[in-house]
Amino acid sequence: AVMDGLVTPVEASQLQRIAQRGLALGGSNGGASILDLHSGALSKGDSFINVFELVKRNNLKNIFSAEDFSLYRKVKNRIQSAIATRFGIQKDRLHLTHPTFFSRMTTKPAQTIHDEYWHPHIDKETYGSFDYTSLLYLTDYGHDFTGGRFVFVDKETNSTVEPRTGGRFVFVDKETNSTVEPRTGRVSFFTSGSENLHFVEKVASGTRFAITVSFSCDPQHAIQDPDLKS
């Protein structure tokens, strides 16, 4: 499902600023960087650091605020309710799960496998805890960036080769796939299993910001809402 209006443009802009402040402290050498406000994971060079430890160690001020985390929780709860309604399940059966992260995509060439977001993949295979995936877009396709659209692969018309040792090679027929064009405040969500093979087009220009908010139906995979670390 794709929904506009669930998150206001003002809220989306505020969330983008949170991402920008955090990512300014790190950033991948390649074109894809992430900031996870739950675990603290932040792309830095070819690996990851903990942004909360960095802030504390360097006594950095005004990076994140309690209001930032309050906004995240409010938006997360709205998305959770929308997924529950759309798929006819009880909201309290949906548990926020790891990872949940901001992403920034640019035109910089990939340096590690973490930068190669354009390969078709299944979220349940990549992140075992995912049952439902949602994406909240924080920038506009065609204005802030080109490329970078979200593509659901139509498995009926695309040819797939699955090597025995793992991985998947997909011959993509662009005419039959479903494409989501990011818009500020637009939310898309879907079940995370093999029925939703997907990829993101390579960003051709500009910068694309989004948030992945994921949910599990298994309480053992539940995480607490991110909060301001003291």
Side-chain angles (χ1 to χ4, degrees), residues 151-173:
V151 182
F152 290 103
V153 177
D154 185 342
K155 294 193 294 184
E156 298 299 320
T157 57
N158 292 282
S159 301
T160 303
V161 177
E162 296 195 4
R164 292 185 179 180
T165 55
R168 178 180 287 105
F169 188 89
V170 182
F171 297 94
V172 175
D173 181 352

Side-chain angles (χ1 to χ4, degrees), residues 186-197:
R186 174 170 287 175
V187 176
S188 67
F189 53 83
F190 51 92
T191 54
S192 306
S194 60
E195 66 280 2
N196 282 315
L197 181 68

Side-chain angles (χ1 to χ4, degrees), residues 156-217:
E156 298 299 320
T157 57
N158 292 282
S159 301
T160 303
V161 177
E162 296 195 4
R164 292 185 179 180
T165 55
R168 178 180 287 105
F169 188 89
V170 182
F171 297 94
V172 175
D173 181 352
K174 295 181 180 179
E175 298 301 318
T176 59
N177 293 325
S178 300
T179 302
V180 178
E181 293 187 354
R183 291 281 181 270
T184 300
R186 174 170 287 175
V187 176
S188 67
F189 53 83
F190 51 92
T191 54
S192 306
S194 60
E195 66 280 2
N196 282 315
L197 181 68
H198 61 275
F199 65 95
V200 174
E201 297 173 332
K202 286 186 181 181
V203 171
S205 66
T207 302
R208 177 193 192 269
F209 283 95
I211 311 176
T212 297
V213 183
S214 48
F215 297 94
S216 175
C217 293

